[in-house]
Amino acid sequence: MSEKIRVGIIGMQPDRSWGAIAHIPALAALSNDYVVTALSTTRQESADAAAARYGVPHAFDNHHALVTSPDVDLVAVTVKVPHHLELVTAAIEAGKHVYCEWPLGNGIAEARQMAALAKSKGVKAAIGLQARQAPVLRYVADLIGQGFIGDVLSTSLIGTGMNWGEYVDRPNAYTADKANGATVLTIPVSHTMDAVCNILGEVESLVAIAVNRRKHTILVETGEALPLTSEDQIVFAGTLSGGVVASLHYRGGMSKGPGLIWEINGSKGDLRLGAYGGHIQLLDLTLEGAGADDQQLKPLSVPDHYYSTAIRDGVALNVAEVYARFASDIRDGTSRCATFDDAVVRHQMVEAIERSAQTGNRVSPSDC
């Protein structure tokens, strides 16, 4: 490997795709560790345009050329969920390290297949569950570990999906079809619960409801009504390891009130996080807390040392925090990032919620 880790990004539309607005600035903030050497799209014209826009030397119209390029050490897969299995498999088979956005697969079977392949090939494989690397959430974990709120008794969340509501734009229209694997459950709920579980413990068992209240969503660009087969109401209650009681209700669309409220109740105090939407992995979060000597919640500021780069807000922040840790995982063999094995655990939680909603029974993710 060269002195800098050479990255090839699959999926790039200048100034609008996730690769462009999150991965490119995140990697630029870590220029001592990384350099973007290649990108690919499905058309050479668009690949060339993106390469020129971001100063990337190699542009390809297919992913095979990118993953087999000798100038690429790490492949970032930043496209829609249905394509993850094919692209991640190709990258691993080519002996490249991989950073794949969440969800890893369209269902738990695909996730297990990719995790097993990465392990068999001995490559480093990071999953884009970047909320667990958010500076504010690492600070929350430390506050809890230091006993700021005493023993954690319970936690509750209310969040909005932002998509899966009355309207959807064309780039996100594919999320209306549950078969594509990009749902309220698999995206905002899973990202948020990964952060919850990383801080408070994994789900031991749960009882869930998943309901499709909206039957259609309107395509913004044309006014066309699209069938909405993805459930837009996800509710569950359960226990986390250590006995913490957890409840969650996520709703499709936007709210005229807070888009995210996450409360953590302790024996001596409370913490509350908020945002304008329920995508905890990409939105800037507010934090309030009250310890044993406080009478009410007050704003808490995240100390500067929780940030690994100069990025302090925006969608690139948490992605940069992942890349900062992934550099040492690749070079030094550490395990600081969420891996494909961690992705399988989160897919097990999704499977447990779906099974419980279908059967009405209490389900343990470990049984899925």
Side-chain angles (χ1 to χ4, degrees):
M1 185 179 298
S2 62
E3 182 178 349
K4 293 184 179 182
I5 299 168
R6 300 168 298 177
V7 183
I9 302 177
I10 300 178
M12 182 69 64
Q13 294 184 38
D15 303 318
R16 61 173 296 180
S17 65
W18 186 246
I21 65 175
H23 284 254
I24 287 288
L27 290 163
L30 292 158
S31 58
N32 289 334
D33 293 312
Y34 295 98
V35 59
V36 180
T37 55
L39 56 82
S40 69
T41 67
T42 56
R43 295 185 301 110
Q44 192 63 51
E45 294 83 359
S46 63
D48 289 339
R53 170 71 172 80
Y54 297 111
V56 177
H58 302 295
F60 304 109
D61 64 357
N62 67 92
H63 68 273
H64 294 288
L66 184 145
V67 301
T68 58
S69 170
D71 296 313
V72 171
D73 306 307
L74 164 64
V75 175
V77 177
T78 68
V79 298
K80 296 175 180 178
V81 183
H83 305 293
H84 285 187
L85 178 62
E86 178 187 8
L87 302 179
V88 168
T89 298
I92 295 173
E93 292 286 6
K96 305 302 169 99
H97 304 297
V98 183
Y99 179 149
C100 181
E101 283 298 340
W102 173 265
L104 176 55
N106 191 352
I108 193 169
E110 288 187 2
R112 284 180 168 141
Q113 181 178 336
M114 286 180 272
L117 182 62
K119 187 172 296 184
S120 70
K121 296 295 184 180
V123 302
K124 287 291 183 179
I127 184 64
L129 287 167
Q130 61 265 27
R132 64 169 65 188
Q133 303 299 349
V136 63
L137 297 183
R138 299 202 324 272
Y139 181 44
V140 165
D142 286 346
L143 286 173
I144 292 172
Q146 294 159 9
F148 179 71
I149 62 171
D151 295 329
V152 177
L153 305 176
S154 65
T155 188
S156 59
L157 295 110
I158 297 176
T160 56
M162 301 172 69
N163 285 335
W164 307 282
E166 185 176 4
Y167 298 99
V168 67
D169 61 2
R170 192 177 298 280
N172 291 299
Y174 86 109
T175 65
D177 185 351
K178 183 178 180 179
N180 287 324
T183 67
V184 175
L185 174 56
T186 64
I187 298 182
V189 170
S190 294
H191 274 293
T192 299
M193 282 305 300
D194 187 70
V196 172
C197 294
N198 190 56
I199 295 172
L200 302 180
E202 285 296 332
V203 177
E204 288 188 334
S205 64
L206 56 83
V207 177
I209 300 171
V211 178
N212 188 338
R213 291 287 290 159
R214 297 180 188 269
K215 305 304 180 184
H216 295 87
T217 185
I218 304 301
L219 188 62
V220 173
E221 290 84 351
T222 66
E224 174 188 0
L226 300 178
L228 181 60
T229 60
S230 171
E231 292 91 349
D232 61 321
Q233 303 290 326
I234 305 294
V235 179
F236 72 76
T239 54
L240 310 181
S241 58
V244 174
V245 176
S247 63
L248 174 145
H249 182 185
Y250 258 67
R251 306 166 294 206
M254 292 294 295
S255 171
K256 293 185 179 180
L260 173 71
I261 302 172
W262 176 14
E263 295 182 338
I264 304 171
N265 171 245
S267 59
K268 296 181 179 180
D270 298 274
L271 293 165
R272 178 188 292 166
L273 296 106
Y276 78 85
H279 289 257
I280 198 171
Q281 76 281 9
L282 59 86
L283 299 177
D284 298 325
L285 300 172
T286 60
L287 173 63
E288 299 174 290
D293 299 327
D294 299 313
Q295 297 302 310
Q296 60 184 12
L297 293 168
K298 60 185 179 182
L300 300 178
S301 299
V302 180
D304 192 65
H305 69 267
Y306 282 90
Y307 296 88
S308 302
T309 74
I311 300 175
R312 289 295 183 270
D313 54 27
V315 298
L317 169 59
N318 298 335
V319 176
E321 294 293 330
V322 174
Y323 273 119
R325 287 153 185 77
F326 201 30
S328 71
D329 288 354
I330 291 172
R331 288 176 170 148
D332 305 324
T334 57
S335 297
R336 302 177 66 200
C337 287
T339 67
F340 281 12
D341 287 338
D342 295 310
V344 170
V345 172
R346 199 56 49 229
H347 274 283
Q348 287 178 292
M349 184 202 75
V350 171
E351 182 76 9
I353 293 170
E354 292 179 336
R355 288 188 189 180
S356 179
Q358 291 166 0
T359 65
N361 297 327
R362 193 178 187 94
V363 179
S364 297
S366 60
D367 293 333
C368 296

